[in-house]
Amino acid sequence: MKAVIANAYGGPEVLVIQEIERPVAKDNEILVKIYASAVTQADVMMRTGKPLFGRIFLGLRKPKAAVPGTAFAGKVEAVGRNVTRFAVGDDVFGETTIGFHAHAQFVAVPEDGIIQTIPMAMSYEEAAPVTDGALTVHNFLTRLVTIQPGQKVLINGAAGGLGTSAVQLAKHLGAEVTAVASGRNAGFLRDLGADHVIDYTTEDFTRRRSAYDVIFDTVGKVPFGKARRALTSDGVYLSPVLGLGLLFRMLWTGKFGRRKAMFSATGLLPHAELSNRLTEVKTLIEDGALKTIIDRRYDLDQIAEAHEYVQSGHKRGNVVLEIDHHDVAILAAE
């Protein structure tokens, strides 16, 4: 099968396409033929190996997992002898977490892992980013904090993959939502449910003193020390991007002060919890509370271009790899 291979940390040029052996489903696993996979800012960080302390999990000198990518959607190709939850032909989407291997034509995953059948009327491309976007946001806005109706919530980086899901979920939970993004995205974000939009190129939201109960900095661009002045006296700052500064602030605010700084590595949570959360996210999708926003689609062979675009920081919603299987069909016919 074709797969993306990264044998070193570095720029997009370290990503190459190679033919490797197709995985085989173990007794408790399913083999998924992948038709779509997400490319995220987290993938960019894992490719570069930065921040450096992340290499404790990823590999000190080079990636331990040669095939990158964590979020996928596709069709069950085969099942292990002990599998009862899924059948050949099921359309599924899911997350491999630190097992990676989703930027390939096939992946083998445990049936009790972070995987669900795709909601009706949802395409592979729409389903693939859910676990990197909506699932992460669900963890932040319903576990780290519990958004209450009427609370004032600010989403920084609101036009990105995490941001678009955060705007929708916060609004669904009853919050008054302020989205921070470039001015060109104002109408788009209001359509997603934002009550207010701040153009970061013309206004610094941190100058709004004591304005927000929750600030979710989905891109990790505004440090807690600066954002805290825009929080209410019991406000909470959330970020999915961990640095030494945020780590120190978490430890400090955990013991002192009423304003809190919080981080979570969603992919490192217990699989059982993530599986349950994915079920809840699927229900929200089916109820119309969440939808996937797709900015650009790339072929697997264009993985370097996809990374370059994501790294530019200007995407609106999600970037998806469309994975073709024409070559596999030809080989099977021969």
Side-chain angles (χ1 to χ4, degrees):
M1 70 171 185
K2 288 170 62 176
V4 176
I5 300 294
N7 285 320
Y9 293 119
E13 70 278 358
V14 304
L15 303 171
V16 296
I17 305 297
Q18 291 185 9
E19 289 282 343
I20 65 172
E21 187 174 350
R22 184 190 303 187
V24 176
K26 298 177 183 176
D27 289 350
N28 67 329
E29 290 182 335
I30 63 174
L31 179 67
V32 179
K33 178 186 282 188
I34 301 176
Y35 286 106
S37 184
V39 180
T40 69
Q41 191 62 44
D43 291 315
V44 170
M45 294 172 68
M46 287 182 277
R47 185 202 76 225
T48 60
K50 297 179 181 179
L52 292 178
F53 59 77
R55 299 191 185 190
I56 296 172
F57 304 100
L58 303 175
L60 294 178
R61 296 183 178 180
K62 66 177 184 178
K64 288 189 289 188
V67 181
T70 61
F72 65 90
K75 188 179 291 290
V76 177
E77 178 83 356
V79 299
R81 69 173 69 185
N82 297 331
V83 171
T84 59
R85 187 178 165 205
F86 298 100
V88 172
D90 284 348
D91 290 323
V92 296
F93 71 115
E95 170 83 15
T96 60
T97 65
I98 58 174
F100 302 102
H101 216 88
H103 290 167
Q105 290 179 314
F106 293 88
V107 67
V109 294
E111 72 161 336
D112 60 353
I114 308 160
I115 187 167
Q116 274 282 352
T117 54
I118 295 177
M120 292 291 292
M122 196 176 207
S123 68
Y124 294 124
E125 291 80 11
E126 291 168 331
V130 168
T131 52
D132 274 330
L135 182 62
T136 298
V137 167
H138 191 272
N139 171 45
F140 274 81
L141 299 186
T142 68
R143 186 180 74 91
L144 268 66
V145 295
T146 303
I147 300 297
Q148 301 296 324
Q151 282 189 314
K152 295 183 178 181
V153 176
L154 180 138
I155 311 296
N156 188 41
L162 287 179
T164 50
S165 290
V167 168
Q168 293 175 78
L169 183 57
K171 188 62 180 178
H172 174 74
L173 295 172
E176 181 180 332
V177 180
T178 298
V180 180
S182 65
R184 71 183 181 90
N185 290 312
F188 160 69
L189 290 168
R190 288 193 177 93
D191 288 342
L192 286 182
D195 298 287
H196 317 284
V197 179
I198 295 175
D199 181 351
Y200 71 84
T201 66
T202 61
E203 180 182 350
D204 179 357
F205 76 83
T206 66
R207 295 183 180 276
R208 298 190 176 192
R209 300 279 181 171
S210 304
Y212 305 104
D213 300 293
V214 176
I215 292 175
F216 187 10
D217 184 5
T218 67
V219 288
K221 295 291 188 181
V222 181
F224 172 77
K226 184 177 181 181
R228 70 184 300 277
R229 61 192 180 190
L231 288 170
T232 57
S233 59
D234 293 305
V236 179
Y237 168 90
L238 306 172
S239 175
V241 182
L242 182 62
L244 292 178
L246 178 57
L247 180 60
F248 172 77
R249 292 291 190 172
M250 287 170 58
L251 295 172
W252 179 265
T253 62
K255 293 183 177 294
F256 308 102
R258 295 167 63 181
R259 298 181 178 93
K260 305 296 183 184
M262 294 186 177
F263 160 84
S264 176
T266 303
L268 297 182
L269 295 176
H271 279 200
E273 178 181 342
L274 288 176
S275 181
N276 290 336
R277 288 189 174 276
L278 185 56
T279 300
E280 294 180 32
V281 168
K282 178 182 174 180
T283 299
L284 290 169
I285 293 170
E286 292 172 332
D287 291 344
L290 286 173
K291 63 180 179 180
T292 300
I293 307 300
I294 298 177
D295 183 357
R296 293 190 182 182
R297 295 170 168 85
Y298 293 88
D299 294 334
L300 188 65
D301 295 340
Q302 298 174 301
I303 183 65
E305 294 97 310
H307 268 247
E308 287 173 355
Y309 182 59
V310 171
Q311 194 166 1
S312 75
H314 298 302
K315 68 185 178 75
R316 176 189 282 190
N318 298 278
V319 169
V320 176
L321 292 179
E322 295 180 319
I323 301 178
D324 180 64
H325 288 265
H326 179 66
D327 56 336
V328 176
I330 291 175
L331 290 172
E334 294 175 348

